[in-house]
Amino acid sequence: MRWMEYLKWRNIFMKKFIRFKSKRSFERCLYMHPIALLVMADMALFCVNNNLDFIVTDSVSTLKEDQDLKRKSSTHRTGRAFDLSIKSWFASDIEFFKNHFNKKFESYAAITNEGNPELVIYHVGTAPHLHVQINAQYSNDVSILLA
């Protein structure tokens, strides 16, 4: 498939099934690792099938943005993480989603400080959300692209 055709279909898919909190988080998805995008697409289809809103609230960030948000890791900055809004979800939806995807993509999951693979983490931050992160071996240095 040619690059322009890929971009056309990516845009159709992302506008139909994936909503973004901001234009910035949509545009920066281009800098995410392809495995993170694959996970995002699979999660979006899961949400469509389970009647759940799929809203990406954050994707790739800069060092300054991470510092301003007091982030503890570089997962967003290295193109291997995104955040999902769970504002309209029930607690049972959150637990089922986490368990399903932590098992399904365990081999791609980031390793926690305790040494366990975990793809989906419930996080409070500025608002309750799900933080989705792939393993550090898939890190990209995207900072030069965002300068």
Side-chain angles (χ1 to χ4, degrees), residues 26-130:
F26 169 71
E27 290 173 346
R28 289 186 181 180
C29 276
L30 288 173
Y31 304 115
M32 289 176 59
H33 192 280
I35 292 172
L37 289 172
L38 169 82
V39 169
M40 181 187 288
D42 195 46
M43 289 177 167
L45 290 174
F46 175 92
C47 287
V48 166
N49 291 331
N50 289 279
N51 201 28
L52 296 170
D53 289 333
F54 191 86
I55 303 170
V56 176
T57 58
D58 206 2
S59 57
V60 176
S61 62
T62 66
L63 176 60
K64 180 173 180 350
E65 291 164 349
D66 281 357
Q67 290 170 339
D68 290 346
L69 292 169
K70 296 178 177 44
R71 286 191 172 139
K72 297 177 184 171
S73 75
S74 64
T75 57
H76 285 278
R77 198 168 59 251
T78 56
R80 57 189 182 93
F82 58 94
D83 294 335
L84 295 177
S85 172
I86 51 173
K87 189 182 289 187
S88 64
W89 294 24
F90 293 110
S92 58
D93 296 328
I94 295 167
E95 280 308 306
F96 185 77
F97 185 91
K98 282 177 51 186
N99 292 336
H100 175 76
F101 284 103
N102 279 331
K103 182 190 288 185
K104 184 171 187 174
F105 290 109
E106 181 178 15
S107 61
Y108 294 112
I111 306 301
T112 65
N113 291 336
E114 294 78 30
N116 303 316
E118 197 162 13
L119 182 80
V120 184
I121 298 172
Y122 176 83
H123 189 248
V124 176
T126 55
H129 65 275
L130 294 179

Side-chain angles (χ1 to χ4, degrees), residues 7-38:
L7 288 176
K8 175 185 132 188
W9 285 106
R10 179 193 59 85
N11 286 339
I12 290 170
F13 177 82
M14 292 181 110
K15 288 178 182 171
K16 183 169 177 100
F17 298 112
I18 302 175
R19 293 186 322 202
F20 293 84
K21 180 180 175 183
S22 68
K23 182 179 176 186
R24 184 190 78 183
S25 57
F26 169 71
E27 290 173 346
R28 289 186 181 180
C29 276
L30 288 173
Y31 304 115
M32 289 176 59
H33 192 280
I35 292 172
L37 289 172
L38 169 82

